Amino acid sequence: MTGTGQLWVAGLGPGDQDLITPQVQAALAAATDVVGYFPYVERVPERPNLRRHASDNRQELARAQEALALAADGRQVVVVSSGDPGVFAMAAAVFEAIENGPSDWRALTVEVLPGISAMLAASARAGAPLGHDFCCLNLSDNLKPWSIIERRLQLAAEADLAMAFYNPRSKARPEGFARALATLRSVCEPERCVILARAVSTPEEQVTVTTLAEVVPEQVDMRTLVLIGSSQTRVLSRLTGDQPWVYTPRQYHSDVKSRRDI
Amino acid sequence: MTGTGQLWVAGLGPGDQDLITPQVQAALAAATDVVGYFPYVERVPERPNLRRHASDNRQELARAQEALALAADGRQVVVVSSGDPGVFAMAAAVFEAIENGPSDWRALTVEVLPGISAMLAASARAGAPLGHDFCCLNLSDNLKPWSIIERRLQLAAEADLAMAFYNPRSKARPEGFARALATLRSVCEPERCVILARAVSTPEEQVTVTTLAEVVPEQVDMRTLVLIGSSQTRVLSRLTGDQPWVYTPRQYHSDVKSRRDI
């Protein structure tokens, strides 16, 4: 192993280039190698002396190992994630590869560079639905049993947390989101606010404000971030006729007034 | 009301200027007025034709009303928050002020500009402790009863979520964090990983990796972001003698192997 290698795990944010931090831009400018899922690698412009290593979805561990081997070989490597690399993204896969890899990987300089997470970008577009206590759950049962997901949904609803859901509905297993809705409907009132935020900050952005009673699973795909309000979350109509603002107040009232303020 | 006013609610990130997005920098460059808690307003450089309106802590609602009145008067106003404005910060206060304010405020253009949250910056410095399902709780009982906080802590621990705590310990009410630890200790094992991340990305940054058994409340103040691992969270020693890396794996094992991997 040469001593000069370095690995950054960097968040590119949800899509808009103006949401990439200067810190991440500096790492990309210093890199010799960029490693990641191909649509994210494509967001990094080609330039001389930059090798781009694009791989397919679900190759997270192999991708992390490739990046670590490059860094151990003395290269300046950026692993790119969309959103924030620490939220259901590449940072955990890199440390998992280190734990199970050659011991000299533990001598590498590894830096995680935070990014604007999809969850916080979606929340900002809607108003401030995560303005009070909330949780962030991955609804994919690819790497954990559905029983754990169900238990977490149930307890989060009982705790009256707002919620953000990643990977709500895959093509391979489309039934998960319907099951999640059934669990929420067993605890929460039908008027509970639901926000479907698709492809936030990209040209395909679409944000829908609906309710637990009205939402149907087919409105959601893998590019959708789902936000669920708490019992306190409020929907504010606008004079402009635009989509309403949604926010969760800082104060907790145990006697909730009507949530829909028309 | 003149029709040209605009209100942005912008996140300045945790402290490092390189963590401010170009989107927020552009809003600050276009602003006629910057409104916020004084240490955040001081982070925006003075320039001609920029009025800076700094106010004290706990003036959130009055500050939001001042900003909305300026925007309604036709000015280009940025309300600044540290971290992300949607996480226990100014965005919720602005919408609360709109809900209870003059109806023409609902015709204003209001945009929330996300920032790097303290929680995700702290997580990045430690490794990837929030790499799987987690919750984000405000431990201040200034605006909600302690019973709600306690119930949420209990249910989040039962759900085996990683956790991020904002406002863990104020000078006015220092006993809250000790009570939170007691609740966690009644559910979680003593080896549960605890990260104390103080003033992340500033010159005073200090990150401590400890356990639920060992942490003492006096290690924490209002500038500390506290992260609690799940039962799955792992601590990786490094060959360099630096602070260990902490990460929560993407996969959920119900039979947990030893968490501390020395």
Side-chain angles (χ1 to χ4, degrees):
Chain A
M1 188 174 77
T2 69
T4 54
Q6 160 115 14
L7 186 69
W8 295 283
V9 192
L12 298 180
D16 182 341
Q17 296 292 109
D18 279 347
L19 292 176
I20 303 180
T21 66
Q23 186 184 65
V24 168
Q25 293 289 17
L28 291 171
T32 58
D33 298 77
V34 172
V35 176
Y37 178 41
F38 70 85
Y40 308 148
V41 169
E42 279 166 13
R43 289 180 57 194
V44 181
E46 290 189 89
R47 61 171 165 78
N49 305 318
L50 179 70
R51 295 190 208 157
R52 303 192 307 169
H53 309 258
S55 47
D56 212 342
N57 208 354
R58 296 217 174 164
Q59 304 296 316
E60 289 81 6
L61 202 57
R63 187 187 300 146
Q65 289 162 337
E66 179 189 12
L68 285 157
L70 287 164
D73 205 36
R75 301 192 58 88
Q76 310 294 309
V77 184
V78 180
V79 174
V80 287
S81 272
S82 83
D84 181 88
V87 179
F88 309 126
M90 281 303 295
V94 165
F95 292 109
E96 191 182 321
I98 292 173
E99 178 168 12
N100 300 300
S103 67
D104 62 356
W105 285 359
R106 296 189 187 213
L108 286 169
T109 301
V110 178
E111 261 191 278
V112 180
L113 308 182
I116 299 294
S117 62
M119 157 180 79
L120 296 183
S123 179
R125 295 304 280 170
L130 303 181
H132 204 63
D133 299 344
F134 66 93
C135 68
C136 176
L137 305 178
N138 188 336
L139 292 195
S140 166
D141 62 351
N142 187 29
L143 293 171
K144 66 184 163 186
W146 183 262
S147 59
I148 295 283
I149 300 173
E150 196 144 48
R151 178 171 162 76
R152 288 177 171 174
L153 286 167
Q154 174 85 29
L155 291 168
E158 287 175 15
D160 199 13
L161 298 173
M163 304 181 202
F165 298 154
Y166 280 71
N167 302 319
R169 192 162 177 270
S170 69
K171 274 189 190 162
R173 271 179 297 237
E175 70 284 0
F177 187 55
R179 291 169 74 180
L181 289 175
T183 300
L184 293 178
R185 284 171 178 149
S186 73
V187 184
C188 309
E189 73 291 349
E191 301 78 22
R192 182 65 61 101
C193 180
V194 174
I195 298 160
L196 311 176
R198 187 170 187 281
V200 165
S201 91
T202 77
E204 296 85 44
E205 174 176 306
Q206 200 179 348
V207 178
T208 306
V209 178
T210 179
T211 65
L212 193 51
E214 286 163 14
V215 63
V216 292
E218 292 68 27
Q219 289 177 281
V220 163
D221 66 15
M222 285 304 269
R223 293 190 73 192
T224 311
L225 198 295
V226 178
L227 300 173
I228 311 282
S230 77
S231 72
Q232 310 277 308
T233 300
R234 299 189 55 77
V235 178
L236 295 189
S237 59
R238 292 163 70 173
L239 290 187
T240 53
D242 290 319
Q243 155 204 291
W245 290 310
V246 181
Y247 82 101
T248 303
R250 302 164 304 140
Q251 187 141 19
Y252 195 92
H253 299 281
S254 32
D255 55 326
V256 183
K257 49 178 176 168
S258 162
R259 269 168 297 276
R260 208 165 257 274
D261 160 67
I262 310 273
Chain B
M1 188 174 78
T2 69
T4 53
Q6 160 115 15
L7 185 69
W8 294 283
V9 191
L12 297 180
D16 182 341
Q17 296 292 110
D18 278 349
L19 293 176
I20 303 180
T21 66
Q23 187 183 65
V24 168
Q25 292 288 18
L28 291 172
T32 58
D33 298 77
V34 172
V35 176
Y37 178 40
F38 69 86
Y40 309 148
V41 168
E42 279 166 13
R43 289 181 56 194
V44 180
E46 290 189 89
R47 61 171 166 78
N49 304 320
L50 179 69
R51 293 190 209 158
R52 304 194 306 171
H53 309 258
S55 47
D56 212 341
N57 207 354
R58 297 217 174 163
Q59 304 296 317
E60 290 82 6
L61 201 58
R63 187 188 298 145
Q65 289 163 337
E66 179 188 12
L68 285 157
L70 285 164
D73 204 35
R75 302 192 59 89
Q76 310 294 309
V77 184
V78 180
V79 173
V80 286
S81 271
S82 84
D84 181 87
V87 179
F88 310 126
M90 281 303 295
V94 165
F95 292 109
E96 192 182 321
I98 291 172
E99 179 170 11
N100 300 299
S103 67
D104 62 357
W105 284 359
R106 297 189 186 212
L108 286 170
T109 300
V110 178
E111 261 193 278
V112 179
L113 308 183
I116 300 293
S117 63
M119 158 180 79
L120 297 182
S123 179
R125 295 303 279 168
L130 303 181
H132 203 64
D133 299 343
F134 67 92
C135 68
C136 177
L137 305 179
N138 189 337
L139 293 196
S140 166
D141 62 350
N142 187 29
L143 293 171
K144 66 184 162 185
W146 182 262
S147 59
I148 296 283
I149 299 173
E150 195 143 48
R151 181 172 160 76
R152 287 177 171 173
L153 286 167
Q154 174 86 28
L155 292 168
E158 287 175 15
D160 199 13
L161 298 173
M163 305 181 202
F165 298 153
Y166 280 70
N167 302 321
R169 192 161 176 271
S170 70
K171 274 190 191 162
R173 269 177 298 234
E175 69 284 1
F177 187 54
R179 291 168 74 179
L181 289 176
T183 300
L184 294 179
R185 285 172 178 149
S186 73
V187 184
C188 308
E189 73 292 348
E191 301 77 23
R192 183 65 62 98
C193 179
V194 174
I195 298 158
L196 311 177
R198 188 171 187 279
V200 164
S201 93
T202 76
E204 296 85 43
E205 175 176 306
Q206 198 180 349
V207 178
T208 306
V209 178
T210 180
T211 65
L212 194 51
E214 286 163 13
V215 63
V216 292
E218 291 69 27
Q219 289 178 280
V220 162
D221 66 14
M222 286 303 270
R223 293 190 74 191
T224 310
L225 198 294
V226 178
L227 300 173
I228 311 282
S230 78
S231 73
Q232 310 276 308
T233 300
R234 299 189 54 76
V235 177
L236 294 189
S237 59
R238 293 164 69 173
L239 291 187
T240 52
D242 291 318
Q243 156 204 291
W245 289 310
V246 180
Y247 82 101
T248 303
R250 302 163 305 138
Q251 188 141 18
Y252 195 93
H253 299 280
S254 32
D255 55 326
V256 182
K257 48 178 174 167
S258 162
R259 269 167 298 275
R260 208 165 258 272
D261 159 68
I262 308 272

